[in-house]
Amino acid sequence: MSAEVAKDDIDKIVDSIENMDMNQEKKKKKKNKKKKKEGSDELTNGEIVTETVDNPDASTNQNQAETDVAATQVKKKKNNKKKKDAEPCQQTDPPTLPISQLFPSGTYPVGQIMDHPIAQDDAKAKDRFSSEEARAIDRLQLDMYNDIRQAAEAHRQTRRHIQSWVKPGMKMIDICEELEKTARTLINENGLEAGLAFPTGCSRNHVAAHYTPNAGDTTVLEYDDVVKMDFGTHIKGRIIDCAWTMTFNDKYDPLLKGVQEATEIGIKTAGIDARLCDIGAAIQEVMESHEIELDGKVYQVKSIRNLNGHSISPYQIHSGKTVPIIKGGGDTTVMEENEFYAIETFGSTGKGHVHEDMECSHYMKNFDVGHVPLRLQKSKQLLNTINKNFGTLAFCRRWLDRLGESRYLMALKDLGEKGIVDPYPPLLDIKGCYTAQYEHTILLRPTCKEVISRGEDY
């Protein structure tokens, strides 16, 4: 083959390759233009309009714009979902959803906020409301505040259900079991982490406190009864102790009004550095300014002088300080920052003094008891059950029955005689009189006073 022929063949091959490259480049440009046109049509109908450009990078920019739009839409959907998840859910009727499900954000309603009372010679208290240090201490305890607010919300919703559900003619034991079943569900009972803080008190008429039916009690709620409904809930030992008086006959309204107003003045007077004796004096003054007429006879509403409010600590319903509801005694002990108190008042048309009587139903392990050797095997078994399920929280015989305990009365008596478990029998004024009670749990925060158990009912 000659050199000239070879050269011609090489030229043909080069021309062929160049033609192929040009054809491919034309096809690529045509394809890009088609994509740009389709993208422009789609985005014109959507949110973005992009001009067609002959730049080869236009398709890349177009794809990026589409990706940004899609990402924005996904982000909006996620934000809407988060917002929806954080909103409180609706409770059923009757209530069956735990409070933790109703507030998926994990933040529970704050109670009523009130200022601490400021005495004329109290210069320190005025700084609490604006002190940055006090606010910082307050913020450090938000988790604890949230726990007890959850317990308070469970209490509010439980009592709202009971107030609308209870009717005369029902057995007292059925009322207590309905209340406790509802409270256990709403608090999402979990051993000693969350549950009921003490048995449901449903003391009637002259019985002022510490009555709940034992198994076999057939007592029926009557139309003319005056019933003190007192129950507690807790989260991690932070206790809500709250009570109200339930009646169906309007003739008892003056008695209830006097006791409720006395409780409110007790709450108003309470606060950091408030003296317990001053709170008692204020309560008695309001309480005994009321009177009630029953069957043509007028009775003064008297403070029950041997019943008191009290401080509350984790897993300890009565933790040392008592809040009297009468004047005198000379107790100048003061309330302190970060303390919890049950402000409760009892009014009576009788003597204004209670005594122990009737069959005992309430018991509680002694908070300060150490190890005590036990000889009876049944006593050891019962104490293990108490430690596991109640710890130092109060319990009743119905709750032992519920756990499968039987023939335990001798063992319970043995634990009582050894000072391990204390009995709390019903407390009665004179027969034929009527007693009433109102109670709230308050927290003395560094910056304010929070009535944690406050509700729309009282």
Side-chain angles (χ1 to χ4, degrees):
M1 181 182 293
S2 67
E4 194 174 292
V5 173
K7 185 179 178 182
D8 291 340
D9 290 340
I10 290 171
D11 290 339
K12 287 180 181 179
I13 292 170
V14 170
D15 291 341
S16 176
I17 292 172
E18 287 178 352
N19 290 334
M20 287 177 63
D21 288 342
M22 289 177 66
N23 290 335
Q24 286 179 353
E25 184 67 25
K26 287 180 181 179
K27 285 181 180 179
K28 188 175 180 181
K29 285 184 178 181
K30 189 176 180 181
K31 189 175 182 181
N32 286 341
K33 285 182 180 180
K34 186 177 180 182
K35 281 185 179 179
K36 280 187 271 181
K37 186 177 179 182
E38 288 175 354
S40 177
D41 291 342
E42 288 176 4
L43 293 174
T44 301
N45 294 329
E47 297 181 8
I48 299 176
V49 177
T50 306
E51 294 180 3
T52 302
V53 184
D54 290 335
N55 189 340
D57 294 331
S59 62
T60 304
N61 295 335
Q62 183 63 44
N63 291 337
Q64 183 63 40
E66 291 177 4
T67 304
D68 290 344
V69 171
T72 302
Q73 290 174 344
V74 170
K75 190 174 181 181
K76 283 182 180 178
K77 286 181 180 178
K78 284 183 179 179
N79 289 338
N80 289 337
K81 188 175 187 299
K82 284 181 182 178
K83 188 176 179 182
K84 187 176 180 181
D85 289 344
E87 291 176 354
C89 303
Q90 189 71 29
Q91 182 59 277
T92 59
D93 186 18
T96 56
L97 297 177
I99 299 302
S100 56
Q101 288 186 23
L102 296 180
F103 296 88
S105 66
T107 302
Y108 302 98
V110 178
Q112 180 190 12
I113 301 299
M114 302 175 69
D115 289 340
H116 291 295
I118 301 175
Q120 291 181 352
D121 59 347
D122 189 356
K124 179 182 174 184
K126 296 177 183 178
D127 297 332
R128 289 196 187 100
F129 314 119
S130 58
S131 167
E132 182 58 38
E133 181 184 359
R135 289 200 296 270
I137 295 171
D138 217 22
R139 287 193 294 269
L140 288 174
Q141 303 180 97
L142 289 178
D143 288 343
M144 181 267 286
Y145 295 167
N146 207 41
D147 287 339
I148 198 163
R149 287 167 185 162
Q150 181 182 356
E153 184 62 23
H155 196 287
R156 274 189 291 271
Q157 294 197 20
T158 298
R159 71 188 191 231
R160 185 185 306 140
H161 166 60
I162 293 301
Q163 287 163 358
S164 63
W165 178 79
V166 172
K167 299 290 184 294
M170 292 180 173
K171 288 184 179 180
M172 300 307 296
I173 194 168
D174 293 337
I175 294 171
C176 290
E177 288 179 349
E178 174 68 17
L179 185 151
E180 290 164 3
K181 180 190 75 173
T182 303
R184 285 189 175 104
T185 300
L186 298 189
I187 203 71
N188 203 10
E189 188 178 39
N190 179 27
L192 293 175
E193 284 291 302
L196 300 177
F198 53 86
T200 303
C202 56
S203 307
R204 299 163 57 244
N205 305 326
H206 68 292
V207 183
H210 295 173
Y211 165 78
T212 197
N214 288 323
D217 189 328
T218 57
T219 303
V220 172
L221 175 64
E222 298 180 4
Y223 176 76
D224 279 330
D225 282 344
V226 179
V227 186
K228 281 69 64 184
M229 298 299 298
D230 189 356
F231 74 100
T233 54
H234 81 93
I235 296 285
K236 298 176 183 176
R238 294 295 178 180
I239 298 170
I240 289 294
D241 186 0
C242 187
W244 80 99
T245 299
M246 181 170 61
T247 60
F248 301 96
N249 193 329
D250 294 342
K251 70 179 182 179
Y252 300 114
D253 287 354
L255 171 63
L256 272 60
K257 181 182 178 184
V259 179
Q260 188 171 5
E261 287 186 4
T263 299
E264 292 302 326
I265 196 65
I267 293 170
K268 183 179 179 180
T269 311
I272 297 174
D273 294 336
R275 299 194 307 174
L276 299 177
C277 59
D278 293 339
I279 298 172
I283 288 172
Q284 185 178 22
E285 182 179 0
V286 171
M287 178 87 74
E288 299 190 352
S289 67
H290 289 264
E291 56 186 26
I292 178 173
E293 182 178 345
L294 296 171
D295 301 324
K297 187 175 180 180
V298 176
Y299 300 87
Q300 183 186 28
V301 180
K302 299 177 183 176
S303 289
I304 299 181
R305 56 185 177 273
N306 56 337
L307 290 178
N308 308 284
H310 47 89
S311 56
I312 305 174
S313 296
Y315 296 101
Q316 189 177 19
I317 187 66
H318 291 196
S319 63
K321 293 183 179 179
T322 59
V323 184
I325 60 174
I326 58 168
K327 182 180 180 180
D331 185 0
T332 57
T333 304
V334 298
M335 293 180 161
E336 298 177 63
E337 186 176 297
N338 291 324
E339 286 184 328
F340 289 85
Y341 281 91
I343 303 297
E344 61 181 321
T345 67
F346 293 84
S348 173
T349 61
K351 287 186 174 181
H353 187 276
V354 293
H355 61 279
E356 295 180 351
D357 200 356
M358 297 171 56
E359 183 179 53
C360 186
S361 56
H362 285 55
Y363 300 86
M364 186 167 64
K365 185 182 175 185
N366 190 323
F367 191 84
D368 299 314
V369 73
H371 173 71
V372 178
L374 296 171
R375 295 179 60 189
L376 294 176
Q377 184 61 33
K378 186 67 177 175
S379 297
K380 294 179 183 178
Q381 178 190 330
L382 182 61
L383 182 58
N384 286 336
T385 299
I386 292 169
N387 286 334
K388 180 181 177 182
N389 295 279
F390 313 120
T392 53
L393 296 172
F395 60 94
C396 63
R397 283 159 57 174
R398 278 188 297 107
W399 292 3
L400 293 176
D401 299 337
R402 182 174 176 266
L403 293 170
E405 290 291 331
S406 60
R407 299 181 181 180
Y408 53 77
L409 289 180
M410 187 65 71
L412 198 55
K413 184 180 179 183
D414 182 45
L415 294 176
E417 289 173 349
K418 289 182 169 56
I420 300 172
V421 172
D422 296 322
Y424 292 87
L427 301 172
L428 289 65
D429 201 335
I430 57 172
K431 195 168 185 178
C433 75
Y434 295 94
T435 59
Q437 173 195 15
Y438 277 92
E439 177 180 21
H440 273 300
T441 297
I442 66 171
L443 165 59
L444 305 184
R445 292 168 52 181
T447 56
C448 63
K449 170 174 53 184
E450 183 175 346
V451 187
I452 314 170
S453 55
R454 180 72 77 194
E456 294 178 357
D457 48 354
Y458 65 95

